[in-house]
Amino acid sequence: MADDTYDYDLFVIGAGSGGVRASRIAAGYGARVAVAEEHRVGGTCVIRGCVPKKMLVYGAHFAEDLEDAKNFGWTIDNPKFDWSVLRDNVLKDVDRLNGAYTDTLKNNEVEIILDRAVLTGPHEITLGSGKVVTAKHILIATGARPHVPQCPGNELGITSNEAFHLEALPPRILIAGGGYIANEFAGIFNEFGSKVTIINRSDQLLRGYDESLRDRLLQISVMKGIDFRFNAEFKAIEQTEDGCLKVSMTNHEDLVVDCVLFATGRVPNTEGLGLDKAGVELGQHGEIVVDRFSKTSVDHIYAVGDVTGRVQLTPVAIREGQAFADTLFGGKPTAVDHSCIPSAVFSHPPLAGVGMTEGQARNKFGSIKVYESDFRPMKNVLAGRNERSLYKMVCAEGSGKILGIHMIGPESAEIMQAAAVAVKAGLTKEQFDQTVAIHPTMAEELVLLR
Ligand code: NDP
């Protein structure tokens, strides 16, 4: 495999989820691999995304657990929350994971170059230091970054990148967007006691998820004290004399808050990489266009993960990185199957889905069968928490094949991971019904749907 014409068999730009997986698997197949990373090994998911976010979600949920504990006989006097303790512990764990990812690469004999890398020739990469290297194959795995809408004063806001480092919790926070990040951070800050207002340009949250779940999340979020302003676009953000932020927007009154968090989508990191010079084709939103095997318009340049704008989820980037390495260096041509991908939003409560929503299935097949369970989990009943879960199974008429499962309620992401295996395998409602329930659980609702 070694080709001495080039310094490396594979040069990877970006040591995030996709880049790390591709690098270590390719090196495992015997390729000489280098990976360049200008920030920190681990990428968005590990350093400033899924992982630290989930830890904040856990931390936030104690607010409800401590409250609920009372009806279970516990006396918890005067509980207090210290943001700096949680923040510092989370950041410490991020450091640990950054070290673990670095070790994994080193143990697999991948050379790590902590520098920016830019394409300067068909097989040539120039590093920030000025050093020039060559590679037979190049993989772009540079991910995406938060999109910030244009408006005067938008530099006064933060994104999820900065949310993990806040000096103090903002007493009032405005979160822009109605997607994953907006709803997850709304839940986190609300549990910590901040006054949260979500503003969204449309009147729809979490587009792509089943409508019943989105309605239920909205209802529960309002009940928990989160304010929503829909059909609102930013006009301006101004700093007031006392250091607060005055936000003006369309269709609503001005709002004064302590922090504005933009969660308005993510854009692929493709600028300034020399892709135009290399002839790599970009799509409408700046994403790298790739084929089923993650190959770009240039034969020896590939791209995986968020930078391709296919599905912006960590496990998908990992699959794409693995498939790329298997295809190119392992002699096992593998195209990632992007169908039926389960996903979850770690809101309070979380919601999760796999397959078609009821709306999508009706549009496609006309007539379908929908089964629902709308219930109050046992723990919520005893806690006196008036919060109901909703499970929905969308099935084909006649065959009963499950087209989609959607759920909102405690642990729904955990339950969904197992249920998704069945949906991916093409099981039917009847096969679910044949499975004996585990009682008492929430998940048993899935095999008891009527
Ligand atoms: P999302 O795509 O989930 O949501 C973006 C939101 O911002 C939508 O409500 C969208 O409105 C709105 N929006 C988009 N552009 C603008 C604009 N120009 N002005 C105002 N509003 C705008 O993006 P997120 O930023 O929440 O997350 C980015 C991605 O990261 C997600 O798509 C997801 O793939 C991934 N992620 C996954 C998580 C998980 O798996 N749990 C957690 C966090 C992120 P509209 O609906 O009208 O387009």
Side-chain angles (χ1 to χ4, degrees):
M1 162 178 321
D3 181 346
D4 290 339
T5 321
Y6 303 102
D7 297 325
Y8 302 102
D9 299 313
L10 173 66
F11 194 96
V12 180
I13 307 183
S17 302
V20 166
R21 175 59 68 95
S23 301
R24 81 170 170 83
I25 301 298
Y29 286 130
R32 296 166 306 150
V33 184
V35 57
E37 170 58 56
E38 64 178 340
H39 186 53
R40 296 182 75 188
V41 171
T44 300
C45 172
V46 173
I47 306 295
R48 48 187 178 276
C50 330
V51 172
K53 179 277 311 286
K54 186 75 185 278
M55 293 179 198
L56 294 188
V57 170
Y58 281 131
H61 204 73
F62 280 102
E64 291 186 7
D65 291 337
L66 290 167
E67 187 59 34
D68 292 353
K70 290 176 193 157
N71 277 4
F72 289 85
W74 292 89
T75 304
I76 300 157
D77 289 330
N78 208 9
K80 286 198 191 74
F81 172 68
D82 186 335
W83 162 250
S84 63
V85 172
L86 177 61
R87 179 200 59 203
D88 293 349
N89 284 337
V90 169
L91 295 179
K92 224 183 285 167
D93 211 55
V94 167
D95 289 343
R96 181 185 65 79
L97 288 165
N98 169 241
Y101 272 68
T102 304
D103 289 347
T104 301
L105 288 173
K106 285 184 180 159
N107 293 341
N108 283 277
E109 297 187 3
V110 175
E111 184 181 336
I112 302 171
I113 301 171
L114 291 176
D115 205 346
R116 184 165 173 81
V118 174
L119 303 187
T120 43
H123 291 272
E124 185 187 275
I125 302 113
T126 301
L127 303 175
S129 64
K131 187 176 173 194
V132 177
V133 297
T134 58
K136 186 169 184 187
H137 299 284
I138 295 167
L139 177 70
I140 315 287
T142 46
R145 63 179 185 283
H147 159 78
V148 174
Q150 284 302 321
C151 81
N154 64 359
E155 72 283 357
L156 296 167
I158 63 166
T159 68
S160 51
N161 289 351
E162 293 77 41
F164 300 104
H165 300 269
L166 287 174
E167 268 305 305
L169 279 176
R172 299 159 298 179
I173 182 166
L174 181 150
I175 302 180
Y180 282 83
I181 297 178
N183 283 287
E184 290 181 344
F185 274 100
I188 290 167
F189 284 113
N190 184 58
E191 299 285 317
F192 288 149
S194 300
K195 175 66 209 163
V196 178
T197 306
I198 285 191
I199 76 163
N200 193 30
R201 66 176 175 185
S202 71
D203 60 357
Q204 289 187 32
L205 298 176
L206 291 168
R207 242 168 348 111
Y209 278 93
D210 190 272
E211 206 169 330
S212 312
L213 267 60
R214 292 153 51 190
D215 286 349
R216 180 61 54 92
L217 178 65
L218 176 62
Q219 179 213 329
I220 295 175
S221 299
V222 168
M223 208 168 70
K224 288 184 195 284
I226 299 173
D227 281 343
F228 288 84
R229 293 182 173 196
F230 291 116
N231 302 310
E233 300 214 22
F234 281 94
K235 285 209 270 194
I237 307 173
E238 288 166 57
Q239 188 131 38
T240 61
E241 271 173 21
D242 54 0
C244 301
L245 300 175
K246 187 171 129 204
V247 184
S248 51
M249 63 199 87
T250 55
N251 297 322
H252 298 269
E253 299 280 291
D254 292 354
L255 189 68
V256 177
V257 292
D258 307 284
C259 181
V260 172
L261 168 64
F262 292 108
T264 41
R266 296 175 65 84
V267 287
N269 285 324
T270 46
E271 296 93 347
L273 281 174
L275 297 175
D276 43 346
K277 284 186 212 107
V280 174
E281 187 190 334
L282 299 185
Q284 235 185 332
H285 304 288
E287 75 281 10
I288 297 180
V289 178
V290 288
D291 69 8
R292 294 168 59 230
F293 296 99
S294 297
K295 190 198 279 190
T296 70
S297 52
V298 179
D299 249 3
H300 63 279
I301 303 181
Y302 290 72
V304 295
D306 287 3
V307 76
T308 65
R310 285 178 282 190
V311 181
Q312 289 186 329
L313 294 173
T314 296
V316 177
I318 292 172
R319 289 263 164 142
E320 290 168 358
Q322 174 84 39
F324 157 80
D326 287 344
T327 301
L328 215 62
F329 299 99
K332 290 181 276 186
T334 312
V336 172
D337 174 4
H338 287 95
S339 67
C340 212
I341 294 172
S343 61
V345 183
F346 295 99
S347 42
H348 282 82
L351 62 85
V354 65
M356 285 186 198
T357 64
E358 181 179 347
Q360 288 164 346
R362 281 199 197 286
N363 283 342
K364 180 153 187 198
F365 300 108
S367 181
I368 52 167
K369 287 282 276 180
V370 176
Y371 301 88
E372 267 186 23
S373 175
D374 187 338
F375 63 101
R376 203 165 157 213
M378 182 193 276
K379 185 163 171 253
N380 285 355
V381 175
L382 200 62
R385 180 170 292 282
N386 189 17
E387 204 176 295
R388 298 181 70 82
S389 295
L390 180 65
Y391 290 8
K392 184 189 266 194
M393 188 182 275
V394 180
C395 301
E397 181 122 290
S399 71
K401 183 180 170 191
I402 302 168
L403 304 171
I405 295 182
H406 311 277
M407 50 175 77
I408 179 168
E411 311 300 346
S412 54
E414 303 287 344
I415 299 166
M416 180 56 75
Q417 182 66 81
V421 178
V423 181
K424 182 79 181 158
L427 299 196
T428 61
K429 162 87 167 54
E430 198 185 338
Q431 287 169 309
F432 264 61
D433 295 345
Q434 284 163 1
T435 307
V436 174
I438 300 176
H439 186 70
T441 61
M442 295 177 286
E444 70 179 310
E445 294 298 324
L446 284 176
V447 295
L448 300 172
L449 289 166
R450 290 284 165 263

